[in-house]
Amino acid sequence: MKKIVILTGAGVSAESGLKTFRDSDGLWEGYNVEEVCTADAWRRNPVLVQTFYNDRRKAIIDAWPNAAHIALVRLQEKYDVQIITQNIDDLHERAGSLHVTHLHGLITRSQSSLNAEKTYPLDGWEIKMGEVCEDGSQLRPHVVFFGEAVPMLEKAIEICEQADIFAVIGTSLAVYPAAGLVDYVPKGIVKYIVDPNVPFGKGKGFISIQEKATVGVVEMVRELMGEAL
């Protein structure tokens, strides 16, 4: 089986009703990113950060995978599909994708405030202040804040290095270190990029599909499955 490595961003989940991480006004759901998405914000105002992510978790639980998530699952019939996602939702898994690496964490889990390797499944949408884990620290969202290390980065690099086919879907490749993963993909392999605003294309050897995810991913998958478009 050829290995397809797919890097996804907020554009894949936007059509499931989830707001993109940072809209054109620099806000996420009306919040300044610096107020709710940084390590300093958690130290400064953990109640605000906890509330913000509780609300995001509730929205994610109520959302459903869309046609893009579902189309990617079809590739598993023919390929070894490895998804690396910048998204903190679980829509790829709920659609049926078997191998998903979350660069920035998974909001449907909690973690220790002292040790990011201590993570726990969540029953429901809320982490309450005062809920602690066995090390005595406050439980917080299992997400990577700005200013924190990206624990899954090395694994993601290894996956990219093994790609036979590579695709970038629904991301402007503006956030590092995730954006740097394209530099680890073997030269000369088939590469796709699917986004309404393609940040680059043929100049970097990518096949560009300038469409929203629910349209462009379906087109890409049909091509990879050898079906007529």
Side-chain angles (χ1 to χ4, degrees), residues 3 5 82 84 101 154-163:
K3 184 186 294 289
V5 178
Q82 299 286 332
I84 302 168
T101 299
E154 290 301 319
K155 178 182 177 183
I157 289 172
E158 291 177 7
I159 293 171
C160 288
E161 290 174 336
Q162 299 167 10

Side-chain angles (χ1 to χ4, degrees), residues 107-128:
I107 197 173
T108 53
R109 296 184 70 86
S110 64
Q111 75 176 55
S112 159
S113 293
L114 298 177
N115 184 348
E117 294 183 0
K118 292 183 177 179
T119 74
Y120 311 89
L122 272 173
D123 183 14
W125 60 271
E126 187 177 23
I127 303 174
K128 295 183 173 68

Side-chain angles (χ1 to χ4, degrees), residues 55-203:
D55 289 344
R56 302 290 73 69
R57 191 178 300 106
K58 191 172 186 179
I60 286 167
I61 290 171
D62 289 341
W64 291 91
N66 60 49
H69 297 105
I70 293 165
L72 291 177
V73 177
R74 286 200 60 220
L75 290 173
Q76 295 174 161
E77 300 169 15
K78 186 175 178 180
Y79 299 94
D80 172 7
V81 182
Q82 299 286 332
I83 294 176
I84 302 168
T85 186
Q86 299 174 73
N87 300 335
I88 57 174
D89 63 66
D90 62 351
L91 295 181
H92 282 303
E93 289 93 337
R94 284 161 57 191
S97 289
L98 299 176
H99 306 292
V100 184
T101 299
H102 285 267
L103 277 178
H104 299 150
L106 182 58
I107 197 173
T108 53
R109 296 184 70 86
S110 64
Q111 75 176 55
S112 159
S113 293
L114 298 177
N115 184 348
E117 294 183 0
K118 292 183 177 179
T119 74
Y120 311 89
L122 272 173
D123 183 14
W125 60 271
E126 187 177 23
I127 303 174
K128 295 183 173 68
M129 297 306 295
E131 285 187 285
V132 299
C133 62
E134 72 269 16
D135 64 15
S137 71
Q138 170 64 48
L139 287 170
R140 51 161 271 192
H142 179 43
V143 298
V144 177
F145 297 142
F146 282 109
E148 295 182 325
V150 180
M152 301 304 290
L153 182 62
E154 290 301 319
K155 178 182 177 183
I157 289 172
E158 291 177 7
I159 293 171
C160 288
E161 290 174 336
Q162 299 167 10
D164 298 306
I165 301 169
F166 184 71
V168 176
I169 301 169
T171 173
S172 62
L173 294 174
V175 176
Y176 282 82
L181 289 173
V182 297
D183 297 329
Y184 294 92
V185 175
K187 297 187 185 305
I189 68 170
V190 174
K191 296 178 289 186
Y192 291 86
I193 185 161
V194 181
D195 196 88
N197 304 300
V198 174
F200 55 75
K202 290 182 180 178

